[in-house]
């Protein structure tokens, strides 16, 4: 593959799975302005997703594309600043992916999702693929394994990544102060989504904890799931 200047690039150089891996881009999708209690920063989802995406790119040679600086959320979950789903897709995701495609000759993009509200765009993946002429893969490994919002899973991964404030753990579990932790205090969300209510009840009954080994395992599992996907693609 040659660039516009007709310079032969050395795609097989370095420790990469295959020179074909450069046609695969990996980009994070999180939520930058969303509350995560007092022990975790508001941009926890983005930091976790970006970390996983970068580590996968480093280990495989896939092209690291950074992160989308926007996210969406279900109307009944009110604990952050988010875009409407259609605005996220049409004003953010599609234009950025078109630029990436044209500049880098990317054929496939793996979106590493770190925020549950973004699951709304899964029904629009074919539309995004058609508009961008890219193969789009939406990877939800982080969300599928981390558990309730801002609870044990995210706290544990946050500990590994160094984004947690250990001095605020006791305050973090004050659900009156931090209703978004486990969605315990988000009444509308619990009323509209049975799974959220079930998870909130578990958090209320069992509490939360920080387990650094668990956090490392969760991060590694997410990375390995995406690496396996990349191997299948090439």
């Amino acid at each position: 593959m040659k660039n516009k200047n007709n310079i032969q690039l050395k795609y097989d150089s370095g420790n990469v799975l295959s020179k074909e891996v450069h046609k695969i881009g990996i980009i994070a999708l999180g939520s930058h302005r969303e509350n995560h209690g007092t022990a975790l920063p508001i941009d926890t989802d983005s930091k976790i997703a970006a970390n996983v995406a970068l580590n996968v790119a480093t280990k495989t040679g896939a092209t690291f594309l950074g992160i989308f600086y926007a996210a969406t959320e279900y109307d009944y979950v009110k604990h952050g600043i988010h875009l409407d789903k259609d605005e996220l897709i049409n004003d953010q995701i599609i234009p950025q992916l078109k630029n990436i495609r044209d500049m880098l000759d990317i054929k496939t993009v793996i979106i590493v999702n770190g925020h549950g509200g973004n699951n709304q765009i899964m029904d629009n993946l074919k539309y995004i693929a058609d508009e961008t002429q890219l193969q789009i893969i939406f990877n939800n490994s982080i969300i599928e394994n981390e558990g309730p919002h801002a609870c044990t899973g995210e706290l544990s991964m946050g500990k590994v990544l160094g984004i947690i404030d250990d001095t605020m753990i006791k305050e973090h579990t004050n659900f009156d102060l931090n209703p978004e932790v486990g969605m315990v205090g988000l009444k509308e969300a619990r009323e509209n989504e049975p799974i959220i209510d079930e998870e909130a009840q578990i958090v209320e009954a069992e509490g939360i904890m920080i387990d650094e080994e668990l956090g490392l395992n969760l991060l590694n599992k997410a990375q390995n799931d995406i690496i396996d996907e990349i191997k299948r693609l090439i």
Side-chain angles (χ1 to χ4, degrees):
M1 182 168 59
K2 298 180 180 180
N3 67 12
K4 293 179 180 180
N5 293 319
N6 203 34
I7 296 172
Q8 186 67 41
L9 297 176
K10 301 172 183 176
Y11 285 101
D12 55 354
S13 297
N15 185 19
V16 298
L17 294 180
S18 159
K19 65 180 182 179
E20 299 302 315
V21 79
H22 299 289
K23 295 180 181 179
I24 300 171
I26 182 164
I27 188 166
L29 177 63
S31 181
H32 286 272
R33 296 295 179 254
E34 178 184 75
N35 290 325
H36 279 75
T38 49
L40 289 165
I42 58 173
D43 53 355
T44 290
D45 292 344
S46 292
K47 283 184 164 63
I48 292 174
N51 178 274
V52 169
L54 177 57
N55 279 329
V56 169
T58 302
K59 292 176 180 179
T60 63
T63 304
F64 179 61
L65 302 175
I67 187 167
F68 292 112
Y69 288 96
T72 189
E73 183 54 277
Y74 298 95
D75 290 338
Y76 51 77
V77 181
K78 296 178 173 62
H79 61 135
I81 300 172
H82 302 95
L83 297 181
D84 174 78
K85 180 194 72 171
D86 292 336
E87 186 179 2
L88 173 65
I89 292 171
N90 292 302
D91 296 347
Q92 299 291 326
I93 292 177
I94 289 176
Q96 290 184 57
L97 291 183
K98 284 182 176 179
N99 287 334
I100 287 166
R101 177 202 65 198
D102 294 341
M103 288 181 64
L104 300 175
D105 195 26
I106 297 292
K107 304 299 183 185
T108 300
V109 171
I110 299 174
I111 299 174
V112 179
N113 183 39
H115 168 63
N118 291 327
N119 287 343
Q120 295 180 86
I121 73 172
M122 292 178 70
D123 290 338
N124 300 90
L125 295 182
K126 185 179 184 303
Y127 168 70
I128 296 171
D130 289 344
E131 290 293 309
T132 61
Q133 293 300 294
L134 291 164
Q135 180 181 12
I136 304 296
I137 296 173
F138 192 85
N139 186 279
N140 233 5
S141 297
I142 298 170
I143 301 302
E144 289 169 355
N145 295 287
E146 71 179 3
H149 180 76
C151 290
T152 296
E154 283 192 298
L155 285 167
S156 299
M157 288 187 285
K159 178 68 174 179
V160 174
L161 297 179
I163 61 174
I164 195 171
D165 182 351
D166 294 277
T167 67
M168 301 299 291
I169 294 300
K170 184 175 181 180
E171 187 174 347
H172 186 87
T173 57
N174 182 333
F175 300 127
D176 292 327
L177 180 65
N178 302 300
E180 72 277 5
V181 173
M183 306 282 187
V184 169
L186 299 184
K187 182 179 179 181
E188 187 176 354
R190 295 181 67 169
E191 289 176 345
N192 279 273
E193 180 50 67
I195 293 176
I196 289 178
D197 186 54
E198 290 172 12
E199 291 183 340
Q201 290 183 48
I202 293 172
V203 172
E204 287 175 311
E206 301 180 5
I208 60 178
M209 61 180 292
I210 298 174
D211 183 337
E212 197 162 351
E213 182 177 357
L214 171 65
L216 184 60
N217 288 337
L218 289 173
L219 290 168
N220 286 337
K221 186 179 189 313
Q223 292 170 29
N224 290 335
D225 285 349
I226 302 167
I227 290 172
D228 287 344
E229 184 69 50
I230 290 172
K231 288 178 178 178
R232 286 192 290 271
L233 289 169
I234 59 174

